[in-house]
Amino acid sequence: MNLRGLVSVSGKPGLFKLIGQNKSGFILETLDELKNKIVVNISTAKMASLEDITVFGEDSDLKLSDIFSKMKESKSIPDPKTADGKVLRSFFIEVAPDHDQERVYASDMKKIITWFNTIKDLPLFNEAAPEPISEAAATESLLKKPEPVIMEKPKATKAPGKSTTRLSQKSK
């Protein structure tokens, strides 16, 4: 499952696809039918990539992509709008048995189920996850010197109808 480029923005409902960046922020597109584009300010907005989100676990944190994989295999997924906390908890015990039941709230479970329902029909949901960029590869690409670009200067041309001699103001 390829979750790279999908983000959640604090204070904004739903999920977004990162499509670009400009000097003031990130350009995001909604994942619904409307495909609205918004610009989110870098300094004020808090964004979280779905690829990096984890859920509190008893021993170690659980990756959201692993939970989504188990939800994909599940027969029935409760409706996050109508299900109560007990139904959500029992479902979450089924798909993420090692989650920390004291620190993962019903609101978190509702949000995860809503996200799953949003992205389950997208083509990237069935794609293989891309390999993570290692620190060594990232550092190596930064240290690699760029190849010089040789550009030819255009030949200077004389502007038509102008004289090459000038008279200075002092010579009058």
Side-chain angles (χ1 to χ4, degrees), residues 99-112:
H99 78 278
D100 188 346
Q101 295 185 20
E102 292 179 8
R103 297 195 290 174
V104 178
Y105 300 113
S107 60
D108 300 327
M109 292 181 268
K110 284 182 180 184
K111 187 181 295 185
I112 290 171

Side-chain angles (χ1 to χ4, degrees), residues 20-27 39-44:
Q21 182 178 1
N22 62 15
K23 62 183 176 183
S24 65
F26 293 103
I27 302 168
V39 176
V40 177
N41 192 335
I42 294 173
S43 61
T44 58

Side-chain angles (χ1 to χ4, degrees), residues 43-148:
S43 61
T44 58
K46 293 181 184 175
M47 293 189 338
S49 171
L50 292 189
E51 185 177 48
D52 299 331
I53 292 177
T54 58
V55 175
F56 291 116
E58 292 176 358
D59 298 326
S60 63
D61 290 346
L62 309 171
K63 291 180 121 185
L64 186 62
S65 59
D66 296 338
I67 294 172
F68 281 166
S69 297
K70 290 184 180 178
M71 288 174 75
K72 188 177 179 181
E73 298 166 2
S74 179
K75 303 287 184 231
S76 64
I77 299 172
D79 182 21
K81 294 179 182 175
T82 59
D84 65 342
K86 292 179 183 178
V87 172
L88 293 172
R89 179 70 61 194
S90 65
F91 172 72
F92 228 72
I93 288 173
E94 177 187 328
V95 295
D98 295 339
H99 78 278
D100 188 346
Q101 295 185 20
E102 292 179 8
R103 297 195 290 174
V104 178
Y105 300 113
S107 60
D108 300 327
M109 292 181 268
K110 284 182 180 184
K111 187 181 295 185
I112 290 171
I113 293 171
T114 304
W115 288 349
F116 177 79
N117 290 333
T118 302
I119 66 171
K120 70 180 178 184
D121 298 327
L122 297 176
L124 57 90
F125 190 71
N126 297 317
E127 289 178 7
E131 291 295 319
I133 300 172
S134 66
E135 269 188 51
T139 306
E140 184 179 309
S141 68
L142 291 175
L143 295 178
K144 189 186 291 185
K145 290 184 179 179
E147 301 211 5

Side-chain angles (χ1 to χ4, degrees), residues 96 136 162:
K162 290 204 174 185

Side-chain angles (χ1 to χ4, degrees), residues 7-16 26 28 30 37-41 44-47 111 115:
V7 295
S8 169
V9 180
S10 63
K12 300 212 179 284
L15 292 175
F16 300 90
F26 293 103
L28 305 176
T30 60
K37 291 180 177 58
I38 62 169
V39 176
V40 177
N41 192 335
T44 58
K46 293 181 184 175
M47 293 189 338
K111 187 181 295 185
W115 288 349

